[in-house]
Amino acid sequence: MTMEELQAQVAKLQEQVAALSVRALSEDTGPSGYATSKYSVEEMDALLDKVAAME
C-alpha cells in the first residue's frame, strides 16, 4: 500500500467517524418520560431516615 492510498483510506475513515458521530448525537437518547412511584417523596424520606438510623 502506498502512502497516498493510506492517506486516502485514513481520510475516508475520518469521514465515516464524523458521520457516525453526527448521527449518534442526533438520536434522541434522553428520557422517554417521567417515572412514577407508589411512595410519596415524604414517605421515601421517612424510610431513608429509618434506614440511616439503623446504622
Side-chain angles (χ1 to χ4, degrees):
M1 178 176 281
T2 66
M3 186 61 118
E4 289 79 20
E5 291 172 331
L6 183 58
Q7 288 173 335
Q9 189 174 10
V10 168
K12 184 178 178 181
L13 290 171
Q14 287 173 325
E15 289 175 10
Q16 290 174 346
V17 168
L20 288 172
S21 296
V22 168
R23 187 168 56 177
L25 289 172
S26 69
E27 292 176 357
D28 182 21
T29 57
S32 61
Y34 293 95
T36 59
S37 174
K38 66 179 184 178
Y39 299 105
S40 69
V41 174
E42 292 80 11
E43 289 171 317
M44 287 189 269
D45 284 343
L47 290 171
L48 289 171
D49 288 340
K50 286 182 184 179
V51 170
M54 295 166 129
E55 296 178 10

